[in-house]
Structure formats: C-alpha cells, structure tokens
Amino acid sequence: MKSLCDNFRKIIFRFQTDSAFADKWLAMIVVGSLFLPSSICGIAIVAAAFYVMADYQRRERAFRTPYMKLLFSTFVLSFFVAASYRNYIGMAMTLMLLAMLVYSMYLRSIMDRVLFHKLLDLACLMSIPAIVVAIVQKAVTFASDPSYRPVSFFINANYFGMMIEFTVLIALYRAYTNRKFIPLYAVIIGMNMLGMYLCGSMSALAAMSCGIIVFLLYKRRYKLSALYVAALLAFFLVNHFLPSIFPRVEAIGSTTDQRISIWHGAIIGISQTPLFGRGLRAYSIIHDSLGTYATYHCHNLYLDCLLNFGVVGCTVFLIFFGWHLRDVLHQVRTHTAGNAVLLFLAALLVTLLHGFTDVTICWTQTGMLFLILFSATGIRAGEARKAAASSARSYSRRLKVSVGYLMKE
C-alpha cells in the first residue's frame, strides 16, 4: 500500500513538473473517457479545460489559435442569450462547449504525429468494449423487444452511430499509416460495422459510407471502393427480400414525417429570433408553443445552428472554420495533403452529411472526438515550429563553437 501511494505521488509530481508528460496523459484520459458514460466524459473534459486555464502559457497557446477569441466570445454571448430565455439546459451545454473548445484548441497547439496516432489507437481500442456492451444490450432485450436499438455507453442509438462513423474512419486511416497492424484495424472496423447494424441508424450508415468512399477514392483504392459499394448494394438488396434483417428501412416514412414537423417549427423559431437565436437546445423550449413534434433539437444541423446561435453566431462559425479549411483545401488541391488532414476532411464530410437529418455532433462524446480529429490541422504547423527550433539550436551551437575557436586564436 505504501509503495502504491509513493508511486501515485511520483505520478502527481511528474504531472506538475513535466508538461509534456501531463499533456500526453491528459489527452489519453480525455480520449479514453469518450467511450465511457457521458458523465465520466464530461468530468474529464472539464478537468482538462481547468488544466489549460490554470496556467498562463497553456491558456495563451489555446487562445493563440486564429479567431479563437472571437469564437469563444460568441459562445459566452450565447450563454447569456440562453439565460434571457430561461433556457437552463442550453446554459449548461454552452459551458461544456466552452470547456471542449478551450481544451481542443490547446491540444491542437501541441499536437504532433506521434501523439495523434496514440490517441487514435486508443479510440480504436476503446470502441471494442462499447460494441461488446451494445451486443449484450441487444441480446438481453431481444426476446421482449426485437426492435430495441442498443445505445452502449451513449445517450441514444444515433449518438452511438456517430461515434462508430468516426471510429471506422480512424481505423481505416490507421490501417494506411500503421500497416503492420492491418489485421487488428480490420477487426476493429468489422466490430464497429456490427455496432452500426445493431444501432440501426440509417443517417449514420449513409454518412459513414460517403466518408469511406471519399477516403478510398482519394487514396486511389478504386477496387476497394467498388467492393465496398457492392457490399452496400448487396446488403440493401437482401433487405428488400428479407426486410426483417434491417427493419429500420421501413421506418423511414414515419421518421421523415416527424422531421418535417420539427423543421417547420425550427423555421418559425428562426424567423422570430434571427440575429442571436435562443441558445443551445432552443428547439426544446419552443416546440410546445408551436405545436410541432416534441424533441431536443431540430434534427438538422444547419437549422439547429441558426435557431440556437442566429445569423451572427453562424457567421462566426463560418469565419473560424473557413480560415482553418483554407490551408487544408489548398493542400488537397496541390496534392500535398497528408493522411491526417484527409482523415479530418472525411470526418467533416461525414458530419455535414449526417447533419442534414440529425444533430448528433452537438454532444460531449461526439463533439470532442470531432475536435480531436480537427487537431490534425495543427500537426504541420507544430512540425514546422519544431524544425525551426531545432535549426535555431543547431545554429546557436555552431555559433558558440565558432566564437570559442576565435577566442582560442
């Protein structure tokens, strides 16, 4: 027991004195928590944000990100807008979003390829227990409710589906960047495909498939891309004759009617508060007065952003992400984009496509994983800074040697 306490004290001391050690393990803790219940994930993210804000240098690095201060101010404004409408859930979610933003921008500022790959490998491994839990949930409930959609450690099946979307793309990326372990990543992809089938999210399946195909086409793996498309077509062909295999296809009509009602209410709400919105989860406080379908959000990312943040907030989002995408798209046009940047673009495509029918990105687990993938855009800048620092140290050493030689002369 004494040796355990001594080791714990040593770890705490190293956390306090070795910033690189602390940065690495805190990032690992946050990523690992994303595949656990959202309460654990939330605690980890808030603790990470406090870690950044408690130190001037870390805080300065987080806010050095272009347009970060503008985006941060927009969310602070949204907090007070939500308060003015007594949107208490929106206020709490905005505080969490601020914590996610602060930590993710700091993580982007320190991100390098080695750390990025470690975080992605951990995400792949942590997805396995989540899939196992979903299998158990389905097995336990199948006799009483065959249509039950397991949620694993996530708030509902659609959030589970979005985590699977990202995980499959991550495993595909790591299969290209760590070929020695391709069989392991193939197993992870297979397990997550099983999870996708169990959660029954049509939107997630469609968005994920587009992300996979785009990734494979950019890598010029045309045969593999065609094989995936053929497998999808075969799956839906079989489902046409045996609809019990994937009964969610038959539910498209009813879910579409619900969404039309929601979108109608969202458009009315946007017209009432076009500039600043009503804060996060605004739809949940207006659907009763409008008589539209009752749910938490607009089931459309674009309508939800306009309803929550208004035209002003959405303009800031476009400025922030537009600036960061400018360099990324230039790399794609000039065929200099690395695999990490391609992974982020695939994740962005998946998010935007899924956003037409759902808002699953606006949650601690899904949103934080997306922001971690976004941190890949900081890898090239970080490597350039390290190369410049290494060059400066080399020049300094040569200068000292030259000065010493002249003094001897």
Side-chain angles (χ1 to χ4, degrees), residues 284-358:
S284 64
I285 65 171
I286 67 169
H287 57 67
D288 286 341
S289 61
L290 298 175
T292 52
Y293 187 82
T295 188
Y296 296 110
H297 50 67
C298 299
H299 281 274
N300 180 286
L301 180 61
Y302 312 100
L303 292 177
D304 207 60
C305 284
L306 283 168
L307 182 62
N308 295 343
F309 303 105
V311 174
V312 172
C314 290
T315 301
V316 172
F317 299 158
L318 290 174
I319 292 171
F320 179 84
F321 284 106
W323 193 95
H324 290 282
L325 279 173
R326 182 183 60 177
D327 181 56
V328 169
L329 294 177
H330 174 73
Q331 294 176 40
V332 173
R333 286 195 301 269
T334 57
H335 301 284
T336 59
N339 287 320
V341 167
L342 180 58
L343 171 62
F344 165 66
L345 284 177
L348 178 63
L349 173 66
V350 161
T351 302
L352 295 178
L353 290 175
H354 199 159
F356 281 106
T357 57
D358 217 334

Side-chain angles (χ1 to χ4, degrees), residues 211-224:
I212 290 172
I213 292 167
V214 167
F215 187 95
L216 292 174
L217 289 177
Y218 189 86
K219 300 299 294 182
R220 299 182 180 180
R221 298 301 299 269
Y222 304 119
K223 291 182 180 179
L224 197 56

